[in-house]
Amino acid sequence: MTTATTTTDFQSWSHVHLQRVEATLRRVLPAPDIAPQRLHQALRYAVLEGGKRVRPLLAFAAGELANADPERVALAGAAVELIHAYSLVHDDLPCMDDDVLRRGKPTCHVEYDEPTALLVGDALHSLAFQVLGDYRLADDAKTQLEMVKLLAAAAGSRGMAGGQAIDLESVGKALTVTELEFMHIHKTGAIIRASALLGARCGSGLGQKELGQIDLFAKLIGLAYQVVDDVLDAEGSTATLGKTAGKDAKDNKPTYVSAIGAARARELAQELRQNALGALAGFGERALRLRQIADFIVLRKF
Ligand code: IPE
Ligand code: IPE
Ligand code: MG
Ligand code: MG
Ligand code: MG
């Protein structure tokens, strides 16, 4: 298969699945004319029209391996994206990264106000779990309960929220690579890992060993995701990123770029990708979509 064919193929696959998750997000978010209207408008503002939707795409790719119903995966992927969107709204608040631009638009607290942005995060967090509870997403109730627990753990103090705590207390410090890895695996990796596992758990086509391989893949590519985010913050432009470039250095945040330099960080992202692809070896051609997402994560410019 030529590169050109693969690219086109991935683009059309992404297009179909992006439309699917977009429609699902629109459906599960409260309508903007339902009271309290302003909060509901802000929820939609924070979630819709923007974002690469990498986490739902990962869920779809892993779901395909498990022969999962794409309607189920769309709901699981939407739940993860709601958690992710909440994490961004809070991450941008003045008490955290104090950012004014997100997904090419004013951040939620700038467009609305700080209390609304705080409540948007609260409400998105709850909505994610409501989605996981409202629909049948797995063949049996036990698996579905495990999915709820998986997302809760990934978002909590031993996952994303914990990673964010480390991020904030590390400002002005020089972290070792081991410490950086721990922070990144938590603040970003945990939700990426949950995305792939939730997608896979929507179907029953995979055994424990295969689920373990997907988990390892997602752990490595989740770390690569934040390494690349660090590089893009240092080397990308605000216009391309849709968020303020150069913010990490300005705020004195320890990143892979400050620790090992941008060139080495890019190499490390490639090494992580290679190792992640290694974890998929047993799946052969069936893991094509996961491999393509791994490529996108490392090669992306935004
Ligand atoms: C940004 O995530 C924050 C991180 C966890 C790295 P994304 O780069 O996935 O942001 P969107 O969803 O595409 O806007
Ligand atoms: C954010 O990391 C990770 C989250 C859990 C939201 P960053 O602070 O680097 O994300 P950006 O660069 O603002 O998107
Ligand atoms: Mg941050
Ligand atoms: Mg930030
Ligand atoms: Mg960043």
Side-chain angles (χ1 to χ4, degrees):
M1 198 185 286
T2 67
T3 309
T5 314
T6 310
T7 308
T8 316
D9 188 36
F10 179 59
Q11 273 170 359
S12 47
W13 179 86
S14 307
H15 183 72
V16 169
H17 290 87
L18 288 173
Q19 281 187 328
R20 214 188 266 275
V21 73
E22 227 48 43
T24 306
L25 287 167
R26 282 183 186 281
R27 196 170 85 235
V28 300
L29 281 161
D33 56 345
I34 292 175
Q37 286 90 345
R38 189 174 152 79
L39 179 61
H40 288 148
Q41 286 157 15
L43 287 178
R44 298 179 79 87
Y45 179 85
V47 175
L48 301 174
E49 286 152 28
K52 296 178 286 295
R53 312 297 195 211
V54 168
R55 295 154 190 80
L57 287 180
L58 265 174
F60 281 119
E64 282 185 10
L65 275 180
N67 302 321
D69 172 356
E71 283 302 314
R72 284 185 183 179
V73 185
L75 287 156
V80 179
E81 186 67 20
L82 293 171
I83 294 283
H84 170 59
Y86 127 65
S87 79
L88 296 180
V89 170
H90 281 189
D91 181 75
D92 290 334
L93 281 169
C95 60
M96 294 189 78
D97 290 354
D98 193 11
D99 259 305
V100 294
L101 192 69
R102 172 67 65 184
R103 296 176 166 175
K105 305 187 290 191
T107 44
C108 191
H109 66 274
V110 169
E111 184 70 13
Y112 289 85
D113 50 61
E114 274 182 51
T116 303
L118 194 71
L119 292 170
V120 162
D122 295 345
L124 290 177
H125 192 194
S126 290
L127 185 59
F129 288 99
Q130 202 178 329
V131 169
L132 287 189
D134 272 351
Y135 302 89
R136 169 171 283 279
L137 299 182
D139 288 343
D140 56 88
K142 184 169 168 282
T143 304
Q144 188 148 348
L145 183 58
E146 279 168 13
M147 290 165 71
V148 172
K149 287 162 65 176
L150 200 147
L151 187 60
S157 64
R158 296 173 76 181
M160 183 272 288
Q164 289 286 70
I166 297 169
D167 177 295
L168 294 175
E169 71 195 28
S170 304
V171 173
K173 292 185 191 162
L175 298 189
T176 64
V177 167
T178 309
E179 289 167 334
L180 271 173
E181 185 181 300
F182 187 83
M183 173 168 83
H184 282 21
I185 281 174
H186 286 77
K187 76 170 183 174
T188 297
I191 298 291
I192 301 250
R193 219 169 148 183
S195 307
L197 285 178
L198 284 181
R201 300 307 296 267
C202 286
S204 43
L206 298 177
Q208 282 308 320
K209 184 164 174 281
E210 290 172 309
L211 287 171
Q213 292 306 112
I214 289 182
D215 190 24
L216 177 59
F217 162 80
K219 185 177 176 183
L220 293 162
I221 213 65
L223 173 58
Y225 202 87
Q226 186 63 43
V227 173
V228 172
D229 185 82
D230 289 353
V231 171
L232 291 174
D233 186 281
E235 298 195 330
S237 70
T238 299
T240 309
L241 297 177
K243 58 185 184 183
T244 317
K247 195 75 171 52
D248 292 333
K250 185 170 170 283
D251 292 349
N252 224 347
K253 293 247 185 186
T255 65
Y256 270 88
V257 174
S258 66
I260 60 176
R264 178 68 198 119
R266 270 196 306 274
E267 276 172 22
L268 176 69
Q270 283 295 354
E271 287 163 23
L272 289 165
R273 168 175 158 265
Q274 281 308 327
N275 293 340
L277 296 182
L280 299 177
F283 293 109
E285 270 306 293
R286 289 162 67 214
L288 173 68
R289 300 304 176 201
L290 284 177
R291 287 203 299 274
Q292 288 172 331
I293 294 173
D295 292 350
F296 171 75
I297 285 173
V298 172
L299 298 173
R300 72 199 164 100
K301 295 278 176 268
F302 61 97

